[in-house]
Amino acid sequence: MPRIAMDDGIELYVEADPDNGKPPLLFLNALGADHTMWDGQMPRFREHFRIVRFDDRGHGQSEPPETSYTIDRLGRDARGVLESLGIDVAHVVGLSKGGMTAAWLGINAAEHVEKLVIISSSPHLAPREVWEGRAQTARNEGVEALVDAVVGRWFTEAFRTRHPEVCARIRAMILTASDEGYAACCEALAEMDLRDDLELIPVPTLAICGDSDAATPIAKTREWVSSIEGARLEVIGKAAHLVNVEQSAAFDDLVLEFLLK
């Protein structure tokens, strides 16, 4: 699979379906996740779309530069992947950090975006000290010191009890993130604030959250729809943060209905 160099020379690992005449769809990942977080969506979504997925810098099989990250940098990476593949316009679906990156595209590169789906995400995170603390822990103790708390936030207790094998797979995925890449992304989230620019997003937008997501509760998700003209909010029941995994069928139905209409 190809590696694509960004404008600063860092190479990202990209998995892109061949050009099959279907509309392109770019998936963007959560903090600590790689492209495999979307594996459950692939069978149904590939029926309708040309899928593009990649590992963020410092995650999965992409290079971990020892430089600071910003949401602008992560957004330019996503735009660079599309441009390198010769994709003019794509649907963009992002969860958590990926939702923030997706929103950056909607603000700064709307010409590349057909429709936008923002999941389990917020245009601003507070307090920043929490994210700076997580960055420090990742650097000093490694991602392993954070992973169990992350899995606890990503899934409801009921799901963790019923599906320990899924939680184990997600835990292993998070541990593939480099300590520096995880820390640098935490710092990017600490300083991120998209709120003043959301009204610039001109494309149809769907915001989704789980009803049991303590990380980005419904009140935070409403910040998207209060500022993006025509944006719609949908809440998926019995789900925490990683709603595409915990309630995959309901998630797929909702997103496909939005993208295909």
Side-chain angles (χ1 to χ4, degrees):
M1 290 295 175
R3 293 182 178 274
I4 295 179
M6 296 294 101
D7 54 17
D8 62 351
I10 293 301
E11 291 190 346
L12 302 182
Y13 177 83
V14 179
E15 287 197 357
D17 292 347
D19 191 350
N20 51 19
K22 298 176 181 178
L25 170 56
L26 175 66
F27 282 105
L28 299 172
N29 314 325
L31 170 66
D34 63 22
H35 70 280
T36 64
M37 69 166 279
W38 301 106
D39 280 356
Q41 278 61 60
M42 291 304 98
R44 291 184 65 186
F45 280 77
R46 277 202 169 111
E47 294 178 12
H48 306 282
F49 302 104
R50 176 192 179 192
I51 303 299
V52 179
R53 299 184 287 171
F54 70 95
D55 295 345
D56 291 304
R57 51 183 59 215
H59 289 65
Q61 300 178 60
S62 290
E63 292 183 344
E66 293 186 7
T67 57
S68 60
Y69 302 0
T70 62
I71 196 66
D72 177 78
R73 176 68 266 174
L74 298 175
R76 286 188 288 124
D77 285 349
R79 182 176 63 192
V81 167
L82 292 176
E83 291 176 344
S84 295
L85 293 170
I87 295 174
D88 294 327
V89 181
H91 297 298
V92 181
V93 176
L95 188 147
S96 196
K97 175 180 63 60
M100 301 158 199
T101 307
W104 185 97
L105 287 174
I107 294 165
N108 297 281
E111 68 276 11
H112 288 307
V113 182
E114 184 74 22
K115 290 184 179 180
L116 197 58
V117 182
I118 300 171
I119 311 131
S120 303
S121 190
S122 169
H124 177 254
L125 298 169
R128 65 177 298 144
E129 291 79 12
V130 170
W131 297 97
E132 291 169 344
R134 289 176 187 171
Q136 185 175 12
T137 299
R139 287 196 176 100
N140 294 341
E141 304 174 46
V143 174
E144 189 166 359
L146 296 164
V147 66
D148 290 331
V150 172
V151 173
R153 288 191 297 269
W154 279 12
F155 300 111
T156 62
E157 182 178 358
F159 184 87
R160 297 196 306 272
T161 300
R162 291 196 313 271
H163 299 285
E165 75 291 348
V166 175
C167 296
R169 176 175 62 82
I170 296 299
R171 186 182 190 278
M173 175 193 69
I174 295 168
L175 289 175
T176 66
S178 72
D179 297 338
E180 178 58 33
Y182 193 98
C185 280
C186 286
E187 291 168 340
L189 299 185
E191 68 172 32
M192 178 209 66
D193 191 346
L194 301 172
R195 291 174 292 184
D196 289 344
D197 295 326
L198 294 181
E199 62 185 20
L200 300 176
I201 296 177
V203 301
T205 301
L206 172 65
I208 298 173
C209 65
D211 67 346
S212 301
D213 187 355
T216 50
I218 297 171
K220 297 296 291 182
T221 308
R222 285 201 181 99
E223 294 183 14
W224 301 109
V225 300
S226 64
S227 299
I228 302 172
E229 184 176 357
R232 161 180 145 214
L233 170 65
E234 294 286 349
V235 180
I236 294 180
K238 298 181 181 179
H241 198 60
L242 214 64
V243 63
N244 70 303
V245 175
E246 186 158 5
Q247 295 292 344
S248 59
F251 173 85
D252 293 356
D253 288 345
L254 187 57
V255 176
L256 286 169
E257 182 269 336
F258 173 71
L259 295 180
L260 294 173
K261 71 179 180 182

